[in-house]
Amino acid sequence: AVSPIARDIIETASLVNGAGVGIELARAKHHANDPYFLQPMDGVDSTGYRASWWTQFYCILWRSWLSVLKDPMLVKVRLLQTAMVASLIGSIYFGQVLDQDGVMNINGSLFLFLTNMTFQNVFAVINVFSAELPVFLREKRSRLYRVDTYFLGKTIAELPLFIAVPFVFTSITYPMIGLKAGVSHYLTTLFIVTLVANVSTS
């Protein structure tokens, strides 16, 4: 079936070019499933979206950043929770030495590093994902923005929090457990823990 808009465009084109309406209708039916067959309408670019990629990204980033700022208590609770869990793990594995038992304990503490950063961040975003899914699907069907602009804008807006949480956790547990001394070793650990946290968030 040909939409009324397509029929009007075909009739206008046939009058201008002197072509028959029947030929144009046949071509329209042939290209009915081609989204780029007709010229874009006013306010919609050639890809079918109402705004450019950068405009979509900026709007999603700004909206996501405002949603982070409007709930500062959640940020404080997450940082406090991270500090308490880090202190607990640091107390359990406090002051390890490099003997046979110490190596096994350090291995267990590194396992807790990864599992805590993984599940803490997964459960932190899973409720948000469930709440925003209907809005995302509705706006995506309306072609207001792409999936990649939503993902990147949301991730970058929440990036400061997902850098602060691994920083607090590693800064407390690393010296308490007695892991290898040195700024470079600490920064390497912090970098890996931050990557794990952001991968689990994504």
Side-chain angles (χ1 to χ4, degrees):
V2 180
S3 67
I5 296 176
R7 190 176 295 109
D8 292 340
I9 293 174
I10 292 169
E11 291 175 356
T12 303
S14 64
L15 291 175
V16 172
N17 297 327
V21 178
I23 297 174
E24 298 297 335
L25 285 173
R27 288 179 180 174
K29 291 179 180 178
H30 177 70
H31 295 283
N33 296 324
D34 187 354
Y36 301 108
F37 175 63
L38 297 176
Q39 292 295 322
M41 295 183 295
D42 293 337
V44 181
D45 64 8
S46 59
T47 60
Y49 291 97
R50 299 168 187 263
S52 65
W53 192 95
W54 286 108
T55 304
Q56 297 173 31
F57 173 73
Y58 174 77
C59 292
I60 293 296
L61 178 63
W62 181 248
R63 186 175 73 175
S64 302
W65 179 246
L66 290 180
S67 67
V68 172
L69 292 179
K70 75 178 183 179
D71 199 358
M73 183 58 66
L74 179 62
V75 176
K76 294 177 182 178
V77 168
R78 286 210 57 202
L79 293 176
L80 179 61
Q81 177 188 10
T82 301
M84 293 176 63
V85 173
S87 300
L88 178 62
I89 295 175
S91 301
I92 294 173
Y93 294 99
F94 185 79
Q96 297 299 317
V97 294
L98 291 179
D99 55 12
Q100 184 64 35
D101 293 334
V103 170
M104 296 297 293
N105 291 334
I106 290 173
N107 188 29
S109 67
L110 294 178
F111 174 77
L112 286 179
F113 261 68
L114 300 180
T115 55
N116 181 69
M117 281 296 99
T118 300
F119 291 107
Q120 179 182 358
N121 290 288
V122 165
F123 290 122
V125 300
I126 195 167
N127 290 329
V128 176
F129 177 77
S130 301
E132 291 191 359
L133 183 60
V135 177
F136 167 75
L137 292 176
R138 183 175 67 249
E139 294 177 345
K140 177 66 174 64
R141 291 192 190 102
S142 300
R143 302 188 74 77
L144 295 179
Y145 49 75
R146 298 168 174 83
V147 177
D148 56 345
T149 55
Y150 175 82
F151 175 78
L152 289 174
K154 191 77 176 168
T155 301
I156 294 175
E158 297 178 351
L159 190 61
L161 178 60
F162 293 116
I163 291 176
V165 167
F167 175 76
V168 171
F169 183 82
T170 307
S171 299
I172 294 174
T173 53
Y174 197 92
M176 289 184 69
I177 296 173
L179 298 176
K180 192 170 184 178
V183 177
S184 62
H185 303 298
Y186 164 77
L187 292 178
T188 302
T189 304
L190 178 60
F191 177 70
I192 294 172
V193 172
T194 303
L195 283 181
V196 171
N198 284 275
V199 168
S200 62
T201 302
S202 298

